[in-house]
């Protein structure tokens, strides 16, 4: 008899070009913002053991400080999963960690200090998205005016600069349709290879994300400086094809996985909606709002989203009310909320295993946007999901542990390198 193939258990919302973890994830790597007066005060990569049955299960087993605070935010793994790229929105430094040599003990092997210079004025390096032999960095801002006008920047896996692709604007449409609406802002970028399309979203610039959130919300001019567009690209040519109006700052892009599901979801932070970008039967692309997230009038501030591997459920986190909501998206044009749970006073990122059984949540959005006082809860929380409710698995208080503000998570497994 043939042995059954192990179930894929990797994080769902990753590049299709990445090597997949089979079986259960063994480690969670958390890119963490340093806090002044807490521990060494520096940004750090924190490794947590999530091996079932391990004597250190649910515990921090390794901490790698990078020295100083850089506004640690996003990053990602290379296509071979050997390097974990993470960056600082304020310092523009990018840190490359080797996680293949010893997955339980990552090592900082390179720091890129000339991102702004090499990219031609891009600042705020954000996500690192795996392409074949390359990494795509979405910038959040620029050095000229510190607005959200920015670009996508390509590097080789080992950190050599390749190219910069500026977002289209009304003044420089670069051939994109509907470019009169283009604001040139950038946030996330993800690829649907079989349709040769890349979809990018938009946020805001350095002058906003480095200010306290309360000050930004009270400043009418600052509130005008948030992105309201998404861009569909010809991926191979790196050529903008179409600009979509998506009011309210669309953030994370999540493509469906099904072989015939040519659509992606995003959520809008300021208008609290789920948006669908989809290809119709005539191969035309459209964007439409398909559901509200909580009560938009209360500004719950949706942040991260996670789409299940079978495209059936969408987890949506909202930062200000600390909620996670689960939507049935089997009909992507008509999502229906089926569950909600308050994770804490604030919540940001969510990572879901490919088999859909485990979810991990972290708390920090931005150093100047996180809540203060007793509401400044900073944590990693792990849950089981049985399709009906979230059940606690373990949690780590990052302030009590002297670590800081946990943000981005990625999964690892030693079995991948054997």
């Amino acid at each position: 008899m043939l042995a059954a193939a192990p179930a894929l258990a990797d994080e769902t919302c990753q590049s299709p070009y990445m090597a997949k973890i089979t079986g259960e994830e063994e480690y969670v790597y958390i890119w963490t913002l340093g806090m002044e007066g807490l521990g060494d005060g520096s940004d750090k990569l924190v490794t947590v053991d999530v091996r079932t049955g391990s004597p250190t299960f649910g515990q921090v087993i390794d901490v790698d400080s990078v020295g100083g605070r850089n506004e640690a935010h996003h990053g990602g793994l290379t296509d071979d999963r050997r390097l974990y790229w993470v960056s600082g929105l304020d310092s523009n430094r990018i840190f490359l960690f080797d996680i293949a040599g010893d997955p339980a003990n990552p090592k900082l092997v390179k720091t890129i200090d000339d991102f702004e210079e090499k990219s031609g004025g891009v600042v705020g390096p954000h996500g690192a998205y795996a392409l074949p032999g390359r990494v795509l960095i979405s910038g959040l801002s620029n050095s000229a005016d510190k607005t959200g006008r920015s670009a996508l920047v390509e590097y080789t896996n080992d950190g050599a600069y390749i190219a910069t692709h500026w977002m289209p604007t009304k003044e420089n449409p670069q051939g994109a349709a509907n470019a009169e609406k283009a604001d040139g802002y950038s946030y996330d970028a993800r690829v649907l290879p079989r349709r040769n399309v890349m979809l990018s979203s938009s946020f805001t610039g350095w002058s906003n994300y480095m200010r306290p959130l309360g000050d930004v919300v009270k400043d009418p001019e600052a509130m005008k400086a948030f992105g309201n567009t998404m861009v569909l690209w010809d991926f191979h040519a790196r050529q903008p094809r179409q600009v979509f109006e998506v009011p309210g700052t669309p953030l994370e892009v999540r493509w469906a996985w099904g072989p015939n599901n040519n659509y992606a979801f995003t959520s809008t932070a300021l208008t609290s909606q789920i948006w669908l970008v989809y290809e119709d039967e005539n191969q035309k692309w459209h964007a439409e709002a398909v559901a509200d997230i909580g009560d938009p009038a209360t500004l719950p501030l949706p942040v991260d989203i996670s789409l299940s591997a079978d495209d059936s459920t969408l987890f949506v986190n909202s930062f200000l009310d600390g909620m996670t909501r689960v939507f049935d998206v089997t009909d992507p044009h008509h999502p229906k909320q089926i569950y909600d749970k308050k994770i804490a006073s604030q919540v940001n990122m969510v990572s879901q295993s490919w088999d859909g059984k485990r979810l991990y949540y972290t708390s920090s959005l931005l150093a100047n946007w996180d809540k203060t006082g007793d509401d400044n809860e900073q944590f990693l929380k792990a849950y089981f999901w049985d399709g009906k409710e979230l059940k606690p698995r373990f949690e780590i208080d990052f302030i009590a542990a002297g670590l800081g503000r946990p943000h981005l998570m990625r999964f690892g497994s030693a079995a991948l390198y054997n």
Side-chain angles (χ1 to χ4, degrees):
M1 295 177 64
L2 295 176
L8 288 170
D10 204 357
E11 185 179 354
T12 59
C13 301
Q14 296 301 301
S15 167
Y17 299 110
M18 279 172 45
K20 287 289 182 186
I21 292 175
T22 57
E24 198 167 312
E25 67 279 357
E26 296 181 316
Y27 307 101
V28 178
Y29 307 110
I30 304 119
W31 183 221
T32 303
L33 293 78
M35 295 176 64
E36 185 175 1
L38 187 69
D40 68 357
S42 295
D43 298 344
K44 52 188 63 70
L45 187 64
V46 176
T47 302
V48 173
D49 182 357
V50 295
R51 295 172 296 175
T52 302
S54 168
T56 54
F57 170 78
Q59 298 178 30
V60 173
I61 58 172
D62 186 63
V63 177
D64 294 271
S65 177
V66 299
R69 291 188 295 279
N70 306 269
E71 192 62 45
H73 202 67
H74 275 200
L77 302 171
T78 52
D79 60 338
D80 57 8
R81 302 185 73 105
R82 303 193 70 83
L83 293 175
Y84 186 21
W85 285 53
V86 289
S87 59
L89 294 183
D90 190 27
S91 69
N92 303 315
R93 300 172 78 198
I94 302 174
F95 306 94
L96 279 61
F97 283 88
D98 175 8
I99 62 171
D102 182 355
N105 184 21
K107 296 296 184 186
L108 179 63
V109 294
K110 184 171 185 174
T111 301
I112 297 174
D113 291 311
D114 57 358
F115 175 79
E116 179 182 344
E117 175 188 354
K118 286 291 181 66
S119 67
V122 180
V123 301
H126 186 228
Y129 184 78
L131 302 178
R134 300 184 177 196
V135 171
L136 185 69
I137 306 290
S138 52
L140 294 191
S141 193
N142 67 83
S143 58
D145 61 14
K146 300 296 182 71
T147 67
R149 168 87 171 101
S150 199
L152 306 176
V153 185
E154 289 188 55
Y155 280 82
T156 63
N157 276 358
D158 58 1
Y161 169 79
I162 299 174
T164 300
H165 312 285
W166 288 91
M167 304 298 293
T169 62
K170 178 180 179 180
E171 296 75 21
N172 183 19
Q174 303 178 54
N178 202 34
E180 67 276 6
K181 304 296 184 181
D183 51 28
Y185 283 26
S186 174
Y187 182 76
D188 194 14
R190 307 258 172 155
V191 179
L192 183 64
R194 67 173 177 272
R195 302 302 298 138
N196 183 34
V197 294
M198 177 168 65
L199 186 63
S200 62
S201 56
S202 57
F203 181 44
T204 192
W206 184 96
S207 56
N208 268 356
Y209 63 67
M210 291 304 297
R211 292 177 67 187
L213 178 59
D215 293 350
V216 173
V217 172
K218 295 174 185 176
D219 183 342
E221 291 304 311
M223 291 301 292
K224 294 177 184 177
F226 281 85
N228 293 291
T229 61
M230 301 183 78
V231 178
L232 189 78
W233 300 67
D234 179 317
F235 171 59
H236 292 148
R238 309 295 199 267
Q239 174 72 40
R241 285 175 46 184
Q242 187 174 353
V243 176
F244 300 112
E245 288 186 86
V246 183
T249 311
L251 296 179
E252 311 295 343
V253 176
R254 300 292 183 250
W255 285 110
W257 287 99
N260 299 310
N261 291 346
N262 298 331
Y263 57 83
F265 291 105
T266 191
S267 64
T268 52
L270 301 183
T271 51
S272 194
Q273 291 181 311
I274 296 173
W275 277 71
L276 179 72
V277 178
Y278 66 97
E279 185 183 42
D280 67 20
E281 61 276 10
N282 298 314
Q283 299 184 352
K284 302 294 184 183
W285 288 88
H286 310 271
E288 64 177 18
V290 291
D292 287 339
I293 302 163
D295 178 5
T298 65
L299 192 66
L301 197 65
V303 278
D304 198 20
I305 61 176
S306 178
L307 181 63
S308 63
D310 63 2
D311 299 335
S312 67
T313 53
L314 185 72
F315 287 78
V316 181
N317 285 358
S318 46
F319 177 76
L320 289 179
D321 61 8
M323 297 292 294
T324 191
R325 296 175 175 86
V326 185
F327 290 81
D328 179 335
V329 291
T330 49
D331 178 354
H333 292 270
H334 301 95
K336 294 179 174 60
Q337 184 177 316
I338 57 174
Y339 179 78
D340 63 48
K341 182 179 180 64
K342 188 174 182 67
I343 301 299
S345 61
Q346 60 188 12
V347 66
N348 186 19
M349 304 300 290
V350 54
S351 293
Q352 176 183 184
S353 63
W354 191 272
D355 60 13
K357 296 180 180 180
R358 296 168 302 286
L359 286 101
Y360 302 85
Y361 291 85
T362 53
S363 47
S364 181
L365 180 53
L366 291 157
N368 286 324
W369 289 25
D370 286 353
K371 294 183 179 182
T372 57
D374 292 342
D375 286 335
N376 185 29
E377 298 180 88
Q378 299 294 346
F379 55 81
L380 169 70
K381 293 188 177 185
Y383 294 87
F384 290 112
W385 170 250
D386 62 5
K388 295 180 179 180
E389 63 177 328
L390 290 169
K391 298 179 180 179
R393 192 180 183 207
F394 70 85
E395 64 180 90
I396 300 172
D397 184 331
F398 267 53
I399 292 181
L403 296 171
R405 307 171 187 267
H407 190 87
L408 181 75
M409 296 168 281
R410 288 293 180 265
F411 295 171
S413 173
L416 188 70
Y417 311 107
N418 294 336

